[in-house]
Amino acid sequence: MTGPRNWLTTALRWVAGIAIAVPAALLLGASPAAAHPMPHSVVLLDVYEHSVSARLELPVGEFTRASGIDVSDKTLTARTGAIRAYLVQHLHPTATDGGTWQVTIGRLTLSRTEQTDTGEYRELVAQAELTPPAGADVRHFTFGYDAVVHQVITHTVLVTVRQDWAAGQVDGEGTTQVGTIRVDTRTMKVPALKVDLGAGSAWRGFVAMLELGGDHILTGTDHLLFLLILLLPAPLAASGGRWNGLVGPRKALARIGRITLAFTAGHSVALAATALGHLDIPAWPVEAFIAASILVGAIHAVRPLFPGKEALVAGVFGLGHGMAFSFVLAEMHLSTGQLVTSLLGFNLGIELVQLLLVCLALPSLLVLARLRVQPALRLTGAALTGTAALGWLADRLGLANPVARAADGAGSHTTLLLAGLAVSAAAATAWALLTRQQAPADPVPAV
């Protein structure tokens, strides 16, 4: 009777042994990197005319392991000096002739981020200013950087360019990879990265700013709404505190032209003065002023507040819109020469797209004024615009709300906007041609 029992005991032992041995073999055979993926460091370069700015992003765990400096929210302030000294010691950009660049470490912050397969982790972010010797080329240099990888040999550093005006990279939407820094397994040393950004030119910077200006007005829902809401009642006559009747095609065209030109002049003057004067203006009062200008325009579309003076109002409010445009240029930290070129390109891009939008909206504005449904459509447009303006005003005064988010999101549908304006322009033109020989439309009801 003992045979079956011994056989059963032996079988159970074999099963238990296999159950333990197989997972153990898999765990022992797996590489540490596969079991615990390691986040890499990132270097983002902003290339200027005479210097390079580098944003250093380092995983806190790997940085502490390499430097021996414990970094946390509580200790960051006390360890700032030690962190800066350590980073300067391990950051060595040099010119092509061997000349040493000056390195200055600025602001240090901690944040949370994540990379593929690593999950969320803490990150130390340091801003470094790299200044070459006089006459050295900022587009061709050697970038020596081993802040973590000299101790953590499995670590990797990705070096990319975020802004490079002379190469036409100005929108901040993407990066261009320069190369990777890692340990050379044959020599166990960390070779410096050869940075070659090409020739670059002022023309490429100008074209990039031209495109950026056009995109800015096209996606800037608030700027676009302000102009369109002022143009909406332009073909109408005002009497007795109401919009009543038409002013005629020629006068309507003259009004639309004056309003567009005044808005252009206003924001162009403010853009040039603010950008070239390097005026440091807080963003929120300017943005709140823009929201208020849109609200005033919406009210004017319902009841004439300043009939016949729309061009003057457009010019005054255009000053605020121009200041807002200047914030885009201020963030780029351009030299005077680059700034002048950028100002021309950026403003030209704004004007070209603005002219295109006005031309597309013009047929609809003129035809709409002659239709019986004009009051209802005008009031609906004014109500939607006023609602968006109130949402923006509240948001820019510190009260976040879904109306502002929805209005901002409308700027992402630029293709749909252009298509809608083009279709409405074609339909309005066709309607005008078909009714050209017919009797004039009935008088527009006063509203």
Side-chain angles (χ1 to χ4, degrees):
M1 299 297 292
T2 60
R5 185 175 298 172
N6 290 337
W7 175 85
L8 179 60
T9 301
T10 301
L12 291 174
R13 287 175 178 174
W14 273 100
V15 171
I18 292 172
I20 295 173
V22 171
L26 292 175
L27 289 173
L28 291 174
S31 66
H36 302 287
M38 179 183 297
H40 54 258
S41 294
V42 174
V43 177
L44 297 172
L45 301 178
D46 294 331
V47 183
Y48 306 125
E49 188 171 13
H50 302 296
S51 65
V52 175
S53 176
R55 175 185 166 95
L56 313 177
E57 300 176 354
L58 307 98
V60 167
E62 283 66 29
F63 175 80
T64 298
R65 191 187 315 172
S67 65
I69 303 173
D70 181 30
V71 179
S72 66
D73 292 317
K74 295 181 179 180
T75 63
L76 180 61
T77 301
R79 307 278 166 81
T80 294
I83 294 171
R84 286 175 175 161
Y86 175 83
L87 291 175
V88 168
Q89 184 181 359
H90 292 276
L91 182 55
H92 302 288
T94 56
T96 53
D97 61 359
T100 302
W101 288 35
Q102 180 182 348
V103 177
T104 303
I105 305 298
R107 186 183 180 192
L108 302 174
T109 57
L110 285 174
S111 64
R112 292 190 179 275
T113 188
E114 60 180 303
Q115 296 171 2
T116 305
D117 298 330
T118 64
E120 188 178 88
Y121 63 94
R122 297 305 301 275
E123 181 178 68
L124 173 65
V125 179
Q127 194 67 32
E129 296 300 322
L130 316 177
T131 307
D137 187 1
V138 298
R139 308 192 63 77
H140 301 85
F141 60 96
T142 300
F143 188 68
Y145 178 62
D146 63 352
V148 172
V149 70
H150 77 295
Q151 290 292 337
V152 185
I153 61 173
T154 55
H155 196 67
T156 301
V157 182
L158 301 183
V159 182
T160 61
V161 172
R162 180 175 57 179
Q163 177 184 318
D164 184 358
W165 184 89
Q169 188 171 337
V170 298
D171 57 7
E173 295 297 324
T175 59
T176 301
Q177 185 164 342
V178 176
T180 304
I181 298 175
R182 56 165 57 94
V183 170
D184 185 340
T185 55
R186 294 172 300 176
T187 63
M188 297 308 294
K189 294 182 179 180
V190 184
L193 177 66
K194 299 291 185 181
V195 177
D196 183 355
L197 302 178
S201 67
W203 172 250
R204 296 177 70 179
F206 174 81
V207 172
M209 294 305 299
L210 179 75
E211 296 175 352
L212 185 62
D215 183 70
H216 194 70
I217 190 66
L218 194 59
T219 58
T221 317
D222 48 358
H223 304 293
L224 191 56
L225 269 184
F226 173 71
L227 180 60
L228 291 179
I229 200 63
L230 274 187
L231 295 179
L232 185 59
L236 304 178
S239 62
R242 294 186 176 187
W243 294 113
N244 184 16
L246 304 176
V247 297
R250 290 187 178 181
K251 191 171 182 179
L253 285 173
R255 277 187 181 178
I256 291 173
R258 287 196 299 270
I259 292 170
T260 304
L261 184 61
F263 181 62
T264 297
H267 71 65
S268 296
V269 169
L271 173 59
T274 307
L276 295 176
H278 300 283
L279 301 180
D280 187 12
I281 302 174
W284 75 264
V286 175
E287 297 293 347
F289 176 79
I290 290 173
S293 73
I294 300 169
L295 182 59
V296 170
I299 297 172
H300 178 67
V302 178
R303 286 287 186 271
L305 299 178
F306 35 82
K309 299 180 180 178
E310 290 87 354
L312 176 61
V313 173
V316 172
F317 282 135
L319 296 172
H321 288 253
M323 292 180 187
F325 291 146
S326 71
F327 296 151
V328 178
L329 299 180
E331 293 173 356
M332 296 182 181
H333 305 288
L334 302 173
S335 66
T336 301
Q338 291 177 337
L339 183 59
V340 171
T341 304
S342 297
L343 186 61
L344 292 174
F346 187 71
N347 201 50
L348 181 60
I350 290 174
E351 306 317 330
L352 288 176
V353 173
Q354 182 176 281
L355 180 61
L356 170 64
L357 294 173
V358 171
C359 289
L360 288 176
L362 185 59
S364 300
L365 290 172
L366 296 177
V367 169
L368 173 63
R370 300 172 59 189
L371 300 179
R372 286 185 175 275
V373 295
Q374 175 269 130
L377 294 177
R378 174 169 50 84
L379 294 177
T380 300
L384 291 175
T385 301
T387 301
L390 286 173
W392 277 322
L393 185 58
D395 180 71
R396 292 163 186 180
L397 292 177
L399 183 60
N401 60 87
V403 174
R405 289 192 294 270
D408 287 330
S412 62
H413 304 290
T414 55
T415 302
L416 184 62
L417 169 66
L418 289 174
L421 286 175
V423 169
S424 63
T429 302
W431 185 89
L433 291 174
L434 289 174
T435 59
R436 186 175 182 179
Q437 302 301 325
Q438 298 178 8
D442 294 335
V444 178
V447 174

